[in-house]
Amino acid sequence: MDADWIPFDPNPSKPRFRPLPGAVDAHCHVFGPAAAFPYAPERKYTPCDAPKEKLFALRDFLGFERNVVVQATCHGNDNRALVDALAHSDGRARGVASVARTVTDAELAAMHAAGVRGTRFNFVRRLVDFTPREVLSEIAARIAPLGWHVVVYFEAKDLPELEEFFTALPTTVVVDHMGRPDVGKPVDGPEFERFVSMMREHPNIWSKVSCPERLSLAGPPGYDDVVPFAKRLVETFPDRVLWGTDWPHPNMKSHMPDDGKLVDFVPRIATTPELQRRLLVDNPMRLYWKE
Ligand code: 0GY
């Protein structure tokens, strides 16, 4: 597959909002470089190289102290780029890996030692081929004893079909990007209400209030139409929300966001210092750095 990426913004603006000391960017990726860490043959897109050095420089520039690096589908179940980034982070990065049912206990233990604390199940059809639920359940049962959680990525229209599976998982479950709501629909309409109800009824379910740039119909710079959705989750579930840049923004076709402007989204959805502290520090520390 040919490279189909547009590159991340090499010169983001300095955010006006200053993240608190200890703030965690809890959703970002490293890609390649392909010469050292080739992309997966089964990938659905080819990203730009986004090596760990660039991620760590961005972390410092934006005013964060830590990263949670999430395995993206373009690297498949080959977590070497992720583990290499963790190994070079001076303990300031933790990871979410993607594993197959054939993963060995020794491989899981090595990933844990490197700083992996979760595994990701991706249900977005444009990104992955279908994996049977029983395979995912088997993987969840393998990682649960390590204290890991499951990160799930899906689109809002698929929640009715997936909800039973999510709520039966034996771990904490972290939903990427609020379950990709259609922000053209009302924030108190049936679709988002279903997501909120799922979180209300299942205290083990968390959400990332990330990716306004992917969800917005209004577009940059403010991504105003995403604010009510993220703000509702932050205020309803202040102890179960996470935030991340999603750098380097794979598959963004409409525009490439300015990471500084994305950081300025935070005080609009977490409007008090207390909510900001939980979102950026307390919650990610509890989930990723408890030991
Ligand atoms: C994201 C979003 C996307 C890609 C992936 O694993 C991935 O390839 O998650 C997307 O295309 O929406 O969180 O990076």
Side-chain angles (χ1 to χ4, degrees):
M1 191 190 285
D2 290 334
D4 52 8
W5 47 272
I6 52 173
F8 53 86
D9 183 341
N11 293 305
S13 62
K14 197 82 178 166
R16 275 183 298 180
F17 173 69
R18 293 174 66 88
L20 295 79
V24 181
D25 174 353
H27 186 95
C28 49
H29 309 287
V30 288
F31 295 148
F37 304 110
Y39 299 114
E42 73 275 17
R43 69 190 180 278
K44 307 291 185 199
Y45 65 92
T46 301
C48 63
D49 280 349
K52 58 184 181 290
E53 295 83 2
K54 296 263 189 223
L55 175 66
F56 298 153
L58 181 76
R59 172 199 67 199
D60 296 345
F61 177 78
L62 296 177
F64 286 82
E65 279 188 21
R66 295 182 172 85
N67 296 111
V68 178
V69 183
V70 177
Q71 179 77 355
T73 53
C74 56
H75 273 302
N77 292 329
D78 178 352
N79 297 285
R80 282 177 299 165
L82 164 69
V83 166
D84 174 70
L86 304 187
H88 289 87
S89 72
D90 295 325
R92 293 168 67 187
R94 290 272 154 102
V96 174
S98 181
V99 300
R101 79 192 310 179
T102 50
V103 68
T104 65
D105 287 342
E107 285 166 341
L108 289 175
M111 281 192 268
H112 188 86
V116 173
R117 293 294 180 270
T119 189
R120 192 178 193 212
F121 296 163
N122 201 319
F123 300 91
V124 178
R125 289 160 221 250
R126 69 185 156 78
L127 292 172
V128 280
D129 297 325
F130 177 77
T131 305
R133 304 277 190 276
E134 57 272 23
V135 172
L136 299 176
S137 299
E138 198 180 305
I139 293 169
R142 296 273 310 285
I143 58 99
L146 293 166
W148 290 15
H149 59 274
V150 173
V151 173
V152 293
Y153 190 27
F154 61 94
E155 296 184 325
K157 65 178 167 45
D158 297 323
L159 181 59
E161 185 224 324
L162 290 165
E163 186 169 355
E164 199 179 326
F165 174 74
F166 294 157
T167 55
L169 286 167
T171 62
T172 295
V173 177
V174 179
V175 176
D176 276 341
H177 318 331
M178 303 186 281
R180 291 196 66 111
D182 177 348
V183 300
K185 295 180 179 167
V187 68
D188 55 358
E191 191 175 88
F192 198 59
E193 206 57 57
R194 179 165 192 152
F195 182 71
V196 172
S197 298
M198 180 176 75
M199 284 191 71
R200 192 174 284 124
E201 287 159 23
H202 298 277
N204 63 319
I205 299 186
W206 295 38
S207 179
K208 292 179 198 164
V209 287
S210 43
C211 274
E213 74 284 9
R214 285 186 196 284
L215 304 175
S216 181
L217 305 172
Y223 308 118
D224 299 341
D225 47 353
V226 185
V227 171
F229 292 81
K231 190 164 180 285
R232 181 171 180 198
L233 294 186
V234 168
E235 290 176 356
T236 312
F237 309 108
D239 295 321
R240 290 189 269 146
V241 283
L242 301 169
W243 188 85
T245 56
D246 193 38
W247 185 88
H249 316 289
N251 287 317
M252 281 300 293
K253 303 272 196 286
S254 57
H255 68 289
M256 200 29 82
D258 172 343
D259 295 283
K261 295 276 187 300
L262 286 178
V263 174
D264 285 335
F265 191 75
V266 171
R268 300 176 66 204
I269 62 170
T271 52
T272 67
E274 169 71 12
L275 289 172
Q276 291 161 11
R277 184 173 54 74
R278 293 188 195 192
L279 176 65
L280 295 181
V281 184
D282 295 356
N283 299 343
M285 290 307 287
R286 205 163 78 248
L287 197 57
Y288 289 97
W289 273 273
K290 65 183 172 223
E291 38 84 28

